[in-house]
Amino acid sequence: MAARSFRLSVTHRILLVVAVLAVALFGYWVTSRGAGATPPTSGAPVPVSAADAKKQLDELTIAARTSMDGYSREKFPHWDSQGSGCDTREVVLKRDGKDVKTDKDCKPTSGTWTSVYDNETWTKPTDLDIDHMVPLGQAWASGAKSWTTEKREQFANDLTRPQLFAVTDNVNQQKSDKAPDQWKPPLVAFWCTYATDWIVVKHYYGLTITQAEKTALTDMLRRC
């Protein structure tokens, strides 16, 4: 009888510990949701030097852009979950903004953002787009058409390379899917970084460039 009583006592203790842990975890979950989700930290990629960019530019394959036949943004799944209830867009808004506050679902509710394309400052997240340095359509026409969906998804959510930026929405719409020979940021002071970032992304993903694109990038690198 004594042995049986001991086994029951251990069982009760285990159940008690499990119950206490469950209550504690539930309390933490409620508290964290009430305080607002915290996006994972992601520092902005550091631009490469003009010399390194020029070397990578010379290594890119020159080829004509293919047609946009078959292209759609849906073929580049984007705004993936990045943990802590936050998606890629929310992480970039947190990274590129100042004093950014978020709600329990990780959506920014306030903050200050300065667009690298035009040096305009905004205080409403809705005034900003998350721009792909090398646009999705531009990637499609320079090699991504043959990629797997998984690789296109990586490209569209890349927080490691200088591929994603919070910028003025109408400026991003003007850029659309254009390459540097077709469109450049209004802020001339950003042209050097724009060129190095564009080259780094295309080089990493093995995308092609046109001769006109290479000429435009070379001219922009002279401003570094």
Side-chain angles (χ1 to χ4, degrees):
M1 292 296 292
R4 177 178 175 81
S5 297
F6 175 77
R7 286 196 298 271
L8 289 173
S9 177
V10 170
T11 300
H12 290 159
R13 289 176 185 175
I14 292 173
L15 290 173
L16 180 60
V17 170
V18 170
V20 170
L21 287 173
V23 171
L25 287 171
F26 179 76
Y28 174 79
W29 178 80
V30 170
T31 301
S32 63
R33 283 183 63 84
T38 302
T41 57
S42 177
V46 178
V48 303
S49 69
D52 287 342
K54 181 64 169 63
K55 180 181 178 182
Q56 292 186 22
L57 177 60
D58 290 338
E59 294 171 351
L60 293 176
T61 299
I62 296 177
R65 293 181 190 121
T66 63
S67 76
M68 296 288 285
D69 291 349
Y71 167 74
S72 73
R73 290 179 64 85
E74 286 68 33
K75 293 185 178 179
F76 292 78
H78 51 286
W79 307 164
D80 287 354
S81 171
Q82 298 295 335
S84 300
C86 306
D87 63 23
T88 306
R89 171 184 167 82
E90 292 157 349
V91 170
V92 176
L93 284 171
K94 176 67 174 179
R95 182 198 71 190
D96 290 358
K98 182 179 180 182
D99 299 325
V100 178
K101 305 296 182 185
T102 62
D103 63 16
K104 62 182 178 61
D105 296 317
C106 201
K107 296 186 183 303
T109 55
S110 64
T112 302
W113 292 267
T114 300
S115 168
V116 293
Y117 286 173
D118 56 359
N119 207 36
E120 294 292 332
T121 299
W122 307 96
T123 56
K124 294 194 301 182
T126 53
D127 288 327
L128 297 141
D129 282 349
I130 304 303
D131 177 55
H132 292 92
M133 170 57 67
V134 176
L136 305 183
Q138 166 63 213
W140 179 268
S142 56
K145 182 177 183 178
S146 64
W147 291 354
T148 64
T149 300
E150 289 73 20
K151 186 172 181 178
R152 288 197 289 264
E153 183 173 14
Q154 177 195 353
F155 178 84
N157 294 275
D158 193 342
L159 293 166
T160 302
R161 263 60 57 181
Q163 167 68 339
L164 297 169
F165 297 88
V167 300
T168 306
D169 54 3
N170 64 326
V171 174
N172 182 48
Q173 290 155 21
Q174 292 167 11
K175 175 186 175 183
S176 185
D177 292 316
K178 300 180 180 72
D181 56 303
Q182 303 165 315
W183 184 90
K184 297 178 179 64
L187 184 63
V188 176
F190 189 66
W191 283 11
C192 170
T193 303
Y194 190 79
T196 60
D197 288 353
W198 183 281
I199 293 166
V200 165
V201 173
K202 280 220 161 179
H203 186 270
Y204 180 83
Y205 285 97
L207 295 169
T208 62
I209 57 171
T210 65
Q211 184 58 58
E213 185 180 343
K214 182 173 183 177
T215 299
L217 290 165
T218 300
D219 289 343
M220 294 169 80
L221 288 177
R222 294 194 181 104
R223 295 182 177 272
C224 296

